[in-house]
Amino acid sequence: DKGEYRHFMLKEIYEQPKVIQATMEGRLTDSKVLEQALGTEAEKLLGDIRHVQIVACGTSYHAGMVARYWIEELAGVPCSVEVASEYRYRSHVIQPDTLFLTISQSGETADSLAALRQAKKAGFRAALAVCNVPGSSLVRESDLVVMTQAGPEIGVASTKAFTTQLTALLIFTLALARHNGMDASKEAEIVQALRQLPRQVEQVLALDGKIADLSRAFMDKNHSLFLGRGAMFPVALEGALKLKEISYIHAEAYPAGELKHGPLALVDSEMPVVTVAPNNMLMEKLKSNLEEVRARGGELFVFADGEAGLTEEDGVHVMSIPEVHPITAPVVYTVPLQLLSYHVAVLKGTDVDQPRNLAKSVTVE
Ligand code: M6R
């Protein structure tokens, strides 16, 4: 039931504060991750893990890409990420004590399942699934499971599944990091940042009207570019995927530093450029990328921390996002991009919840 909402997608975007909270429930104290909440098997295993191999598709793959930044930065454990359809059809070098981690909303995605089945024969230490559907094939066939608590996701474009995957993956990362020397004060700092997510996502949802206004600029465009750096690069990828899926506007995401290496040639007044830029150490670099776009007449849409020192000017639209911890920023910055693609699709009159050619669950190759 869509309730007061016009589409399931919008309802699911608005459910995010609640389902992020639900995904943290029982897994955190004020300062710590409750490792036992990940299961007794996980407790025994985490100290042995020397490498993590993540495999997933689509939006879930983007969650895996964010998790790689977290796992390497916080736990200091090497992590690789690959789309399942590629992973399953090539040969691998498997390092000893590697955890095989699949991420899937449905738990029924054919390529992710096939990759898991291969992995179980291939000598991984264990298989962990981050999944939203209890009793799904992925859940049944994995050794360990961390459930997301997003509830049923009806819209084909994944929204709340993604932000709850990120929440679950960060909790898992903290547990892994504790076994790899992260100190208690750092853990407490990030747990606090996690606890603030529901409120921060609420604050972003309050920008809905302004984002709807911005979305008009995309209505008559055929192409768009999304830029981000570090863990915000996968957020840019996810923003671009949402836009193409539901509005059918061609959208490409690049790490901002790659702009000069090719895509800048495409930038003109017909190519809106969307940037996600929390105020972290990469901001200064990003600013120079933005100038490059501006100099070529590109219209810029910047989602940035109010403190980032970016000002609204002709052709530069700045949407101020509440200050967030750099580690949890990917969760918060995903939300305005969901709203942007939603409003563009509504303006274009496309079928938001059931975009053409797509299925909610890709159970065949
Ligand atoms: O159920 P899964 O998370 O395994 O699905 C993976 C992809 O099919 C899915 O995320 C797809 O990319 C979405 N339509 C994106 O919005």
Side-chain angles (χ1 to χ4, degrees):
D1 178 23
K2 292 192 286 244
E4 62 190 283
Y5 296 97
R6 185 164 163 200
H7 296 99
F8 279 107
M9 183 183 179
L10 190 63
K11 173 173 180 263
E12 289 162 3
I13 290 173
Y14 272 82
E15 278 171 358
Q16 289 175 113
K18 195 181 76 195
V19 294
I20 290 170
Q21 182 65 48
T23 300
M24 295 190 293
E25 211 60 58
R27 291 174 170 161
L28 303 175
T29 68
D30 276 347
S31 58
K32 284 199 308 202
V33 164
L34 291 167
E35 210 171 287
Q36 56 273 36
L38 303 180
T40 42
E41 281 302 303
E43 263 186 293
K44 278 190 266 166
L45 186 81
L46 286 175
D48 296 343
I49 297 304
R50 296 286 164 265
H51 187 263
V52 179
Q53 173 68 60
I54 302 179
V55 169
C57 302
T59 288
S60 298
Y61 168 65
H62 297 153
M65 286 181 76
V66 173
R68 178 179 57 187
Y69 287 91
W70 288 337
I71 290 170
E72 297 212 345
E73 179 176 342
L74 300 173
V77 173
C79 177
S80 318
V81 195
E82 193 164 344
V83 286
S85 56
E86 287 297 315
Y87 187 86
R88 62 180 290 200
Y89 288 119
R90 68 177 186 88
S91 26
H92 313 280
V93 179
I94 302 169
Q95 312 271 6
D97 294 316
T98 300
L99 178 71
F100 190 80
L101 168 50
T102 49
I103 307 168
S104 174
Q105 186 285 127
S106 62
E108 302 295 348
T109 299
D111 285 320
S112 305
L113 265 174
L116 169 65
R117 287 171 185 159
Q118 270 185 20
K120 289 179 73 178
K121 295 190 200 129
F124 283 92
R125 185 73 167 80
L128 166 68
V130 169
C131 190
N132 193 46
V133 178
S136 60
S137 307
L138 204 73
V139 165
R140 283 185 275 113
E141 296 182 31
S142 298
D143 307 313
L144 308 166
V145 178
V146 179
M147 295 304 297
T148 48
Q149 301 294 341
E153 191 181 62
I154 309 295
V156 165
S158 188
T159 53
K160 62 177 181 170
F162 180 69
T163 49
T164 55
Q165 283 167 347
L166 292 179
T167 305
L169 287 163
L170 184 50
I171 292 172
F172 161 76
T173 302
L174 289 177
L176 184 65
R178 194 193 290 155
H179 287 273
N180 286 277
M182 185 175 63
D183 61 56
S185 66
K186 187 76 185 169
E187 181 173 353
E189 176 191 320
I190 295 168
V191 166
Q192 280 308 314
L194 268 165
R195 288 186 164 280
Q196 287 177 33
L197 279 175
R199 187 181 49 85
Q200 289 165 339
V201 170
E202 285 293 354
Q203 288 173 334
V204 173
L205 292 172
L207 300 173
D208 195 7
K210 285 191 192 158
I211 296 171
D213 289 343
L214 280 188
S215 68
R216 288 177 208 287
F218 289 76
M219 228 185 117
D220 59 346
K221 298 293 189 296
N222 296 313
H223 306 277
S224 59
L225 216 53
F226 284 68
L227 304 177
R229 280 179 176 269
M232 302 307 278
F233 167 50
V235 172
L237 282 169
E238 175 57 12
L241 177 61
K242 287 296 88 101
L243 192 67
K244 49 190 140 176
E245 242 182 332
I246 61 168
S247 78
Y248 315 145
I249 293 174
H250 171 218
E252 271 197 89
Y254 273 92
E258 278 290 292
L259 194 60
K260 283 198 194 79
H261 301 284
L264 194 56
L266 294 168
V267 173
D268 63 13
S269 59
E270 290 307 296
M271 174 75 102
V273 179
V274 178
T275 306
V276 276
N279 188 17
N280 59 22
M281 60 188 193
L282 300 172
M283 191 65 208
E284 283 309 312
K285 288 196 167 191
L286 194 62
K287 277 187 197 162
S288 71
N289 295 142
L290 300 186
E291 274 153 31
E292 285 156 4
V293 171
R294 210 38 228 125
R296 283 150 188 93
E299 201 170 351
L300 269 171
F301 298 83
V302 186
F303 294 88
D305 188 320
E307 303 301 304
L310 287 169
T311 44
E312 182 97 19
E313 52 183 284
D314 200 28
V316 183
H317 309 275
V318 181
M319 184 66 55
S320 181
I321 302 297
E323 207 185 325
V324 289
H325 192 287
I327 291 289
T328 48
V331 182
V332 177
Y333 278 75
T334 293
V335 179
L337 302 188
Q338 296 169 341
L339 288 169
L340 180 68
S341 61
Y342 173 76
H343 288 296
V344 176
V346 169
L347 284 173
K348 292 193 71 172
T350 56
D351 189 341
V352 171
D353 286 331
Q354 184 50 75
R356 66 187 183 199
N357 311 341
L358 300 177
K360 178 65 185 160
S361 188
V362 185
T363 54
V364 288
E365 262 189 78

